Amino acid sequence: MPGDSSFRIIRFSTFEVNLQTGELRQRGQKVKLQEQPFQVLTALLERPGELVTREELRSKLWPSDTFVDFDHSLNAAIKRLRDALGESADAPVFIETMARRGYRFIAPVDGSSAPSGIATLAAPERIKTFFSRHRVGAALVSLIVLGVLGWAAWRFPSRPTQVVERRLTTNSSENSVNSAAASPDGKYLAYTDNTGMYLKLIRTGETHLVPLPPNFSVSTLDWFPDGSHVLVSRAEGPGKGSLWSISIFGGLPRKLADDALSGSFSPDGSRIAFQRKDFGREEWIMRSDGTDQVKVAAADKSSWAGPPTWSPDGNRIAYIRATETYNGREASVEVNEWPRAKIQTILSDNRLGPSLYWLPNGHLVYTLGDEENQQGGGLWMTSPQQAGKTAGPSKRITRGIGWISQVKGSYDGKVLTFLRENTVLSVYIGALAPDGTHLLGNRRLTFDESKNDPFAWTPDSKAILFHSNRNGTSEIFKQATDQTLPETMITRAEQLQQPRLTPDGSEILYISTPKYASPDTPSSIVAIPIAGGPPRLVLKDANIWNVQCASLPSTLCMYSIIKDDTTETFRFNVRTGKTSDPPQADPMCSCSLSPDGSLRAIVSDISKGAIRLRSTLTGETHELAVRGWDELHSITWSADGKALLAGWHHQSDTALLRIAMDGTVSVLLRSSNPQILGAVPSPDGRSLAIAGESTARNVWEIKNF
C-alpha cells in the first residue's frame, strides 16, 4: 500500500483499524485487542490476499533474543484476534489458515490516508447543520418519536431484568477447580485445577493449557491491566507462597514478591494488595512490579485477615477479619484507608465468608452463609460509606447450595465470577488384614450430600455412630454396616457432636452445645442409653471440644476444653461428673485416649513428625518419632492399643497411617479425593470407620445483579 502507513485508516466489513492510535473499532465502538494480536492484524492488512508466513510473524512480534514458546504464543494471538473479529478457524471470514505455512487476510480491504479525526467529526457536524435548517421539521419528528415511544411503553411494559447465574467449568470432585479469575474485559477465564493452568474463552468454551515450567504449581489471583499477563501465587509450604507474573502466551514466569499470598490489582493497575505471614495475617501493598512493599495491617495472632479488594478510587482496601472461637467464629468487614493508616469496621456477622469484591460503582459484594442450610451461602451487596457505615440494608444477589469464594469482577462491574464448592464428608468402611498393616477392601457407607463424621462403633462392631448435619443441625445417628440408611439416635435443638461409648458400652456420651452460644456459654456432656431412653446430664463446662473414654477394665474418661491458645484435659467419672484432679495442659492438638486408659497420644502443628505419648496418671511424656511423615493431623489408638492410626496430609495428598510403637509406618490408604481425615477402629479390630471429605469446586458467573 502506498503512503505512510502509520497515519492510515484501514476498513474491512464493519471494522476500522487506526494504525496511528493502534485501535480496532466495529461500527464506531472500540474493540479491545491486545498488542500482539493487533500486530498480527497489522501484518496481515499490509498484504491482503497474500500469504504471511509464521516466520515473518515471529520476527515481527518477538526479537531473536526473546525466549518464548513461539507456536503456542502465535496460536494464542491468532485465537484472540479471531475472537475480537467474531469468527472461528473452522469458518473463517477474514483470516485464512494456510496449513503449516502461515495466514492470509481474505476479506476486501479499503485503505484511507485521511486522519481519523476528520471522519469522526464530519457526521456530527452534518447532523447539526441539518437540524439548524429544518428546526420545525425536526421538532415535529421529535414529537412523533416521543408519542410512539410513550405508546410502546404503555402497550409493552418493561419486565424486570432477571439475574443470570451460569457455571463456567464442569470439573468433577476428583479434579476440582482450585482458583480462577476472569480477564478485565470479561471474555477469558484463567483457572487452575490439579492438572495445570488453563485459559478459556467464555463465549465459546474453547480451552487451552497455559505452558508452565515443570513442577511450577500456581493459583490464579488476578489479571494485569494489559490482559495478557496473570498474577498467580505459588505455594512454597504450609501457609506460605510467592507472587508471580505469568504471560498467557508463554515464556518464563517473573517473581514479584516472596512470602506473599492472595494479590489483587488496584483499579488503575499501579499497585497490588496482598497478604503475608502465616496464611495471610498481614495486609501489604506494593507497586505492580513488586517494588515499594508497605505493610498496611499488622498481624494479630488472635485473628485472620482475608484476601484484599480495592475501592474504586484506590485509596482503600477491604478484607474480612475473622476470629476463631469455641462456638464458631466472629467475623467483620474491615475497611483500611491505607494512605492515612485508618481502619474501620463497617459490617459484622459470624456467617461472613472469606471473599469480598468492591464494584466500580462503590457497592461491596460479600459472601454470607445460610443459617437454615449449613451447606449453602450467597452473595450479598452493600454500600460502604466514608464514615465507616453502610447505607441501608444489604441486598442478596445469589442463591444456591455451596460455599462461595474468590469473587472477582470485570472492569465495568457488570459481571462477577466466583468459585462455588460443595463439600461432602462421608463414612467409609475399611476391612483390616489380620496383622493390621494393610486394608483388604474399602467401601462407602453414607451416600447423602451432607457432613457425616464417625466417632465410635457399637460394642458388637456391627454399626457406626456418627454426627451429621443432614437435617440442618448436627445430630447423632447410628448406621449398621449392612444397611443403606441410618437410624436417628438423638435429635435436639442444640448442636450434638462426638458420640462416644462409656467404658462398659452401655451408654453413648456426646457433647451438646446451644446452637447460638456465645464463647462463655457452657456446653454439656450428656449420656443416653445405647438401647434407648432419656438422656442424663454428666457435667457442664465452657468450651468443651473433646470427650473420650477407655475400655473395661479401666473406667477412665477424659474431656478437653479450649483455654486461650492451649487445651486443658480433665479426668471425670461418667456417674458423678468432673473430678478435682488438676488438668493436663497441652498446645492446640488432636489427642486420643488409649484403650487401657494409661496414655494419651497427642499430635499438633508443632509436633513435626512426632507423636507425644503422655501418662494420664503422672503427666510424664515421651516422643514417638515418625520419620518422613511430618504433617500429621489426627490420631487414634488401634483396638488392641499396640499401634496408632494417624491422618497425614501434604497439600492435596492425604494418607491413613498405622504407626507401631517402634515408629514403623504402614500406609493403609492414600487419597487426594476424598481427603482422608481420620479413622476409628471397631472393637473387634477387624474394621475401620474412615472419614473422607470430597469437594467439587467450579467457576460460576453472574450477570444482571
Side-chain angles (χ1 to χ4, degrees), residues 50 58 79 114 260 266 277 317 329 346 452 604 657 676:
E50 299 180 19
R58 177 175 186 170
K79 181 176 74 67
S266 60
K277 191 174 182 179
I317 60 172
R329 60 197 293 270
I346 65 168
N452 307 290
S604 66
L657 312 177
I676 303 165

Side-chain angles (χ1 to χ4, degrees), residues 15 28 32 51 117 124 143 146 191 198 209 212 265 306 446 449 462 477 543 559 600 626 644 702:
F15 292 92
K32 186 172 180 61
L51 170 67
L143 289 174
L146 290 173
Y191 70 93
Y198 295 89
L209 180 68
L212 297 175
F265 276 97
T446 57
E449 300 295 305
K462 293 183 178 180
F477 295 85
N543 300 337
Y559 75 93
R600 291 170 58 231
V626 188
L644 292 159
I702 182 171

Side-chain angles (χ1 to χ4, degrees), residues 320-569:
I320 299 293
R321 174 74 68 181
T323 302
E324 296 297 331
T325 66
Y326 164 68
N327 290 312
R329 60 197 293 270
E330 298 174 356
S332 58
V333 177
E334 208 166 84
V335 175
N336 188 322
E337 194 173 347
W338 62 275
R340 298 172 53 192
K342 182 180 179 182
I343 299 176
Q344 293 178 315
T345 297
I346 65 168
L347 176 67
S348 295
D349 196 311
N350 59 8
R351 298 173 295 151
L352 281 167
S355 189
L356 291 171
Y357 186 76
W358 218 322
L359 292 166
N361 62 9
H363 294 311
L364 191 65
V365 176
Y366 60 94
T367 58
L368 198 66
D370 286 343
E371 289 184 355
E372 296 81 8
N373 179 12
Q374 296 183 13
Q375 288 285 88
L379 288 180
W380 292 69
M381 187 164 58
T382 189
S383 298
Q385 304 298 301
Q386 293 286 352
K389 300 179 180 178
T390 59
S394 298
K395 171 189 174 184
R396 182 165 190 165
I397 57 178
T398 67
R399 290 188 179 273
I401 302 298
W403 297 109
I404 290 176
S405 62
Q406 298 188 32
V407 183
K408 297 289 184 181
S410 58
Y411 272 13
D412 60 11
K414 295 181 179 179
V415 180
L416 290 175
T417 60
F418 55 90
L419 292 189
R420 174 175 275 153
E421 70 175 47
N422 291 283
T423 300
V424 177
L425 180 57
S426 302
V427 181
Y428 296 80
I429 299 177
L432 275 170
D435 62 0
T437 61
H438 62 280
L439 291 181
L440 300 176
N442 181 38
R443 64 182 177 89
R444 186 173 173 179
L445 179 68
T446 57
F447 287 92
D448 64 306
E449 300 295 305
S450 303
K451 293 188 176 181
N452 307 290
D453 203 354
F455 278 87
W457 291 73
T458 54
D460 59 6
S461 298
K462 293 183 178 180
I464 297 169
L465 300 173
F466 60 92
H467 69 241
S468 174
N469 66 347
R470 62 184 61 199
N471 294 326
T473 187
S474 191
E475 302 169 338
I476 306 298
F477 295 85
K478 177 178 74 174
Q479 184 165 344
T481 58
D482 60 353
Q483 297 296 314
T484 58
L485 292 175
E487 172 189 352
T488 303
M489 297 293 292
I490 310 161
T491 300
R492 298 180 65 181
E494 293 88 354
Q495 295 285 338
L496 311 180
Q497 301 179 67
Q498 293 196 25
R500 310 275 194 178
L501 291 183
T502 56
D504 62 4
S506 65
E507 292 180 300
I508 300 172
L509 286 178
Y510 59 91
I511 302 170
S512 177
T513 305
K515 191 172 182 180
Y516 301 109
S518 68
D520 298 327
T521 303
S523 298
S524 304
I525 295 178
V526 182
I528 189 171
I530 195 168
R536 64 178 180 87
L537 176 65
V538 177
L539 60 86
K540 284 190 174 185
D541 208 338
N543 300 337
I544 300 175
W545 69 274
N546 186 32
V547 59
Q548 296 181 29
C549 289
S551 303
L552 292 178
S554 174
T555 59
L556 176 65
C557 292
M558 305 187 80
Y559 75 93
S560 302
I561 67 169
I562 297 174
K563 191 172 183 179
D564 298 325
D565 291 332
T566 63
T567 65
E568 292 185 348
T569 302

Side-chain angles (χ1 to χ4, degrees), residues 98-299:
M98 312 295 287
R100 296 182 298 278
R101 291 184 294 166
Y103 303 91
R104 181 172 64 182
F105 198 88
I106 57 177
V109 174
D110 176 26
S112 171
S113 58
S116 60
I118 297 176
T120 56
L121 291 175
E125 197 64 37
R126 288 197 300 269
I127 293 173
K128 180 178 178 181
T129 302
F130 174 85
F131 277 102
S132 66
R133 294 178 179 176
H134 303 280
R135 291 178 180 174
V136 176
L140 182 60
V141 169
S142 298
L143 289 174
I144 294 173
V145 170
L146 290 173
V148 171
L149 291 176
W151 174 83
W154 170 80
R155 181 67 178 82
F156 304 104
S158 61
R159 298 178 179 178
T161 304
Q162 186 176 11
V163 175
V164 176
E165 290 186 51
R166 182 165 70 104
R167 189 165 69 170
L168 301 182
T169 61
T170 56
N171 288 41
S172 68
S173 61
E174 287 77 19
N175 187 35
S176 287
V177 175
N178 300 319
S179 61
S183 60
D185 57 11
K187 291 184 178 180
Y188 294 90
L189 178 71
Y191 70 93
T192 64
D193 58 27
N194 296 335
T195 63
M197 181 175 176
Y198 295 89
L199 183 68
K200 183 171 188 173
L201 178 61
I202 294 176
R203 181 174 60 85
T204 66
E206 183 180 355
T207 305
H208 296 273
L209 180 68
V210 177
L212 297 175
N215 301 317
F216 196 85
S217 178
V218 299
S219 296
T220 303
L221 301 176
D222 206 354
W223 286 68
F224 282 73
D226 65 4
S228 62
H229 291 78
V230 179
L231 178 68
V232 301
S233 174
R234 184 186 185 192
E236 296 180 354
K240 296 188 180 297
S242 52
L243 294 182
W244 298 71
S245 168
I246 289 181
S247 171
I248 61 174
F249 301 115
L252 292 176
R254 181 168 61 92
K255 181 182 283 190
L256 301 176
D258 287 309
D259 187 19
L261 303 164
S262 304
S264 66
F265 276 97
S266 60
D268 63 2
S270 64
R271 291 182 172 88
I272 299 173
F274 64 97
Q275 296 177 281
R276 174 168 280 166
K277 191 174 182 179
D278 297 336
F279 296 93
R281 289 182 184 267
E282 297 177 346
E283 301 285 342
W284 287 65
I285 289 176
M286 65 181 178
R287 295 194 179 276
S288 58
D289 60 0
T291 61
D292 296 339
Q293 299 181 12
V294 179
K295 181 167 62 177
V296 298

